Amino acid sequence: MVDLILLRHGQSQWNLENRFTGWVDVDLTEKGIEEAKEAGQLIHAHGLKPDICFTSLLKRAIRTLHLSLDEMDRLWLPVEKSWRLNERHYGGLQGLNKKEMTDKVGADQVHIWRRSFDVPPPPLANNDPGLPHSDPRYSDIDPGLLPYTESLKDTITRFLPYWHETLAPALKDGKTVLVVAHGNSLRALVKYLDNISDEDIPNLEIPTGAPLLYRLDKQLKPIESYYLRDRKAG
């Protein structure tokens, strides 16, 4: 049996402001900082000792990882960062207020953009300064792979190679793995592990700052999974 710990970053400033965030590099709020620390305390209290960590290239996830590791006294752990763990790219919606967009285009359209499985939001224009193509953190990635927008289906397609090539081998080596990422990149992994249907996955919500433990067998199939806050430590 091996342990996989999934953690969505703490509350970000744009979570608080009810904005579409996506790949915009927004930092944590004070509440988000506390959530990250409490997540580390929970992981430690349950006796879990990660061996290796993985996170995205976005500061809200990176900072959550560092804060939680500090609470575990494991800041020395190796960390790998990957764009494949980034949040879903919300295209032209990034930075916009969700309520204001609902007032502008209607609740049904916003619901489709947010919760449909395979309908992406409007893409960024080719000359948009917010495109990841001009961001130095993505300079070593094939520009053809970088998104202008993404549906949840696109996010899953982007993420799954990372599971097969990086995360799964670490687990098969017997390592306890901690992944600190985002709501949609983690939904992609949970969908794969739990074999959730395309129809049901849009209804899955992963809360911020709540460690989710998967205990996996030798074939990396789930034996059990639960949020640490729902079980008594020790």
Side-chain angles (χ1 to χ4, degrees), residues 118-181:
D118 56 3
V119 179
L124 291 176
N126 287 328
N127 61 349
D128 194 295
L131 281 174
H133 302 67
S134 58
D135 191 318
R137 81 191 78 188
Y138 308 113
S139 60
D140 61 346
I141 299 166
D142 178 356
L145 296 175
L146 295 173
Y148 291 74
T149 185
E150 288 179 313
S151 64
L152 178 57
K153 181 180 180 181
D154 296 328
T155 307
I156 293 169
T157 300
R158 183 237 299 168
F159 164 80
L160 278 180
Y162 196 70
W163 165 258
H164 293 297
E165 297 166 10
T166 303
L167 300 180
L171 289 161
K172 287 179 178 178
D173 282 345
K175 292 182 171 65
T176 295
V177 170
L178 171 60
V179 179
V180 181

Side-chain angles (χ1 to χ4, degrees), residues 74-220:
R74 296 178 82 80
L75 274 170
W76 49 269
L77 286 179
V79 177
E80 180 175 312
K81 303 180 184 74
S82 174
W83 70 283
R84 292 189 181 275
L85 289 173
N86 276 17
E87 177 59 294
R88 173 187 170 192
H89 196 298
Y90 276 98
L93 297 181
Q94 293 187 156
L96 300 179
N97 181 278
K98 295 172 184 176
K99 183 180 185 305
E100 290 174 359
M101 284 303 297
T102 298
D103 293 341
K104 182 177 179 179
V105 302
D108 289 345
Q109 181 61 66
V110 171
H111 182 77
I112 289 171
W113 285 333
R114 291 188 66 194
R115 289 302 178 188
S116 68
F117 177 66
D118 56 3
V119 179
L124 291 176
N126 287 328
N127 61 349
D128 194 295
L131 281 174
H133 302 67
S134 58
D135 191 318
R137 81 191 78 188
Y138 308 113
S139 60
D140 61 346
I141 299 166
D142 178 356
L145 296 175
L146 295 173
Y148 291 74
T149 185
E150 288 179 313
S151 64
L152 178 57
K153 181 180 180 181
D154 296 328
T155 307
I156 293 169
T157 300
R158 183 237 299 168
F159 164 80
L160 278 180
Y162 196 70
W163 165 258
H164 293 297
E165 297 166 10
T166 303
L167 300 180
L171 289 161
K172 287 179 178 178
D173 282 345
K175 292 182 171 65
T176 295
V177 170
L178 171 60
V179 179
V180 181
H182 305 265
N184 285 295
S185 50
L186 293 178
R187 287 166 77 209
L189 179 50
V190 169
K191 182 182 191 302
Y192 177 81
L193 291 174
D194 290 337
N195 196 28
I196 299 173
S197 69
D198 296 351
E199 292 74 26
D200 290 338
I201 191 61
N203 300 317
L204 175 69
E205 196 64 51
I206 296 178
T208 58
L212 173 59
L213 176 64
Y214 273 83
R215 300 220 129 123
L216 308 172
D217 65 18
K218 290 182 179 180
Q219 287 73 45
L220 304 187

